[in-house]
């Protein structure tokens, strides 16, 4: 399996002097092409920090991160913004759709920067909108959509450039449990039919149970790992709950 992401001995400190926080403490793991992985752990365990250093929003203090074999450190800011545009897709808790653009215009926004011709843009829009079940919503404005539809539109926007790696931070955070499940089933479809490689942060065991692997962080370290394998989603869910119970802290159990 081709490795899309390699995180090697990454440490991240915040602050200086006597108020230093070690947010990440010697983290190493890899994500292969087509893998769907979740990062879980208590509040403050380092989940968002990990996502931020992978997405180059923040820099590591030591260690190295490779995406498709290319090291992120030492690259100039203009190279990094090209890297974010070409290689990564982002999905956030809040959908971040622009209210003044239609759903279709929102989804194709990342392609504008690539200056694709109109026909190709239309084809790509159709491809992702169909995969995410928002084909009928394209001429509407975001406020005319339900929360779940908005989040699926945000996923379509993240996928339209066919990124090597999709990063999501609490993508179901603003959704009720029904829409959370619909979104996770969408992620599974994105993963299986579009072959997307997805790394998502979540505190929700249900969300984790849809993935193929969960990495548990504690105090900035990888504390445990659960791999789905041939298990049912329910069995994966039970396993996640038992690791969460052993992990302690203030991780929510739903
Ligand atoms: N910009 C920052 N400056 C200083 N400390 C920070 C900064 N960002 C995060 N931290 C600290 O680093 C640690 C890890 O924070 P992080 O945001 O990664 O946690 P998290 O696992 O995402 O938590 P949550 O589940 O609450 O979102 C915490 O102790 C936090 O206070
Ligand atoms: Mg966080």
């Amino acid at each position: 399996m081709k490795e899309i992401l390699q995180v090697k001995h990454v440490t991240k400190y915040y602050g200086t002097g006597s108020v230093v926080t070690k947010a990440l403490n010697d983290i190493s793991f890899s994500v292969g092409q087509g893998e769907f992985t979740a990062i879980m752990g208590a509040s403050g365990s380092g989940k968002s920090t990990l996502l931020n250093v992978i997405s180059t929003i923040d820099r590591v203090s030591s260690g190295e991160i490779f995406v498709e074999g290319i090291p992120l450190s030492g690259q100039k800011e203009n190279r990094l913004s090209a890297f974010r545009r070409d290689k990564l897709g982002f999905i956030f808790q809040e959908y971040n759709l622009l209210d003044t653009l239609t759903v279709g215009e929102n989804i194709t926004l990342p392609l504008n920067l690539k200056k694709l011709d109109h026909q190709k843009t239309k084809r790509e829009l159709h491809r992702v909108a169909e995969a995410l079940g928002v084909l009928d919503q394209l001429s509407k404005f975001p406020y005319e959509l339900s929360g779940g539809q908005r989040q699926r539109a945000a996923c379509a926007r993240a996928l339209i450039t066919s990124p090597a790696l999709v990063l999501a931070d609490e993508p179901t955070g603003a959704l009720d449990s029904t829409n959370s499940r619909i979104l996770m089933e969408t992620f599974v479809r994105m993963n299986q039919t579009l072959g997307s490689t997805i790394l998502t942060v979540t505190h929700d065991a249900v969300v984790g149970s849809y993935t193929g692997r969960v990495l548990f962080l504690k105090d900035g370290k990888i504390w445990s790992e659960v791999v789905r394998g041939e298990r049912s989603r329910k069995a994966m869910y039970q396993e996640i709950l038992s690791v969460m119970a052993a992990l302690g802290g203030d991780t929510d159990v739903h």
Side-chain angles (χ1 to χ4, degrees):
M1 185 164 44
K2 184 179 164 195
E3 285 187 339
I4 295 292
L5 172 69
Q6 293 165 288
V7 175
K8 293 189 175 171
H9 301 292
V10 163
T11 294
K12 173 69 185 176
Y13 296 98
Y14 284 114
T16 49
S18 59
V19 283
V20 168
T21 305
K22 205 172 194 178
L24 299 175
N25 185 358
D26 194 19
I27 296 243
S28 296
F29 69 98
S30 298
V31 175
Q33 188 161 34
E35 270 198 281
F36 182 12
T37 305
I39 297 165
M40 298 187 72
S43 180
S45 59
K47 304 180 298 293
S48 294
T49 304
L50 182 57
L51 222 58
N52 289 345
V53 294
I54 293 168
S55 60
T56 73
I57 290 166
D58 217 335
R59 285 183 185 260
V60 301
S61 303
S62 63
E64 186 58 275
I65 297 171
F66 300 84
V67 173
E68 291 189 318
I70 297 166
L72 303 186
S73 69
Q75 305 226 25
K76 296 243 164 58
E77 187 45 46
N78 59 347
R79 289 282 307 268
L80 287 181
S81 62
F83 159 80
R84 285 191 290 270
R85 187 189 65 216
D86 296 338
K87 298 290 182 196
L88 301 181
F90 294 99
I91 300 163
F92 302 96
Q93 177 170 345
E94 300 297 333
Y95 329 107
N96 291 305
L97 297 172
L98 301 177
D99 284 335
T100 53
L101 300 181
T102 65
V103 170
E105 287 164 348
N106 265 286
I107 295 173
T108 53
L109 211 51
L111 291 183
N112 295 352
L113 300 162
K114 292 193 156 207
K115 301 188 171 55
L116 284 192
D117 69 63
H118 185 65
Q119 282 309 320
K120 184 120 201 274
T121 299
K122 257 176 83 176
R123 269 204 309 278
E124 293 300 294
L125 175 60
H126 191 276
R127 177 181 70 89
V128 291
E130 188 168 45
L132 293 170
V134 291
L135 257 187
D136 296 338
Q137 325 291 337
L138 296 180
S139 57
K140 291 187 181 169
F141 286 91
Y143 66 86
E144 297 175 294
L145 267 51
S146 72
Q149 289 168 336
R150 276 202 289 266
Q151 191 56 307
R152 291 200 295 285
C155 292
R157 185 187 50 188
L159 289 178
I160 199 158
T161 57
S162 301
L165 180 63
V166 177
L167 298 171
D169 197 351
E170 298 281 5
T172 61
L175 301 178
D176 60 26
S177 61
T178 305
N179 272 307
S180 286
R181 283 168 194 269
I182 293 172
L183 185 69
M184 290 324 290
E185 280 155 17
T186 307
F187 270 42
V188 170
R189 244 194 352 265
M190 280 158 49
N191 177 241
Q192 290 175 352
T193 60
L194 303 176
S196 310
T197 307
I198 309 169
L199 183 64
T200 185
V201 164
T202 184
H203 66 273
D204 187 339
V206 174
V207 171
S209 71
Y210 281 92
T211 71
R213 175 168 71 143
V214 180
L215 299 174
F216 290 89
L217 294 192
K218 182 171 187 165
D219 301 330
K221 277 182 169 295
I222 294 180
W223 190 76
S224 176
E225 179 178 350
V226 172
V227 176
R228 168 102 169 246
E230 297 302 309
R231 269 182 290 193
S232 67
R233 194 178 69 74
K234 201 154 184 201
M236 180 71 172
Y237 175 70
Q238 292 302 336
E239 178 71 19
I240 291 170
L241 286 189
S242 63
V243 175
M244 283 164 83
L247 189 60
D250 61 353
T251 322
D252 302 342
V253 175
H254 291 266

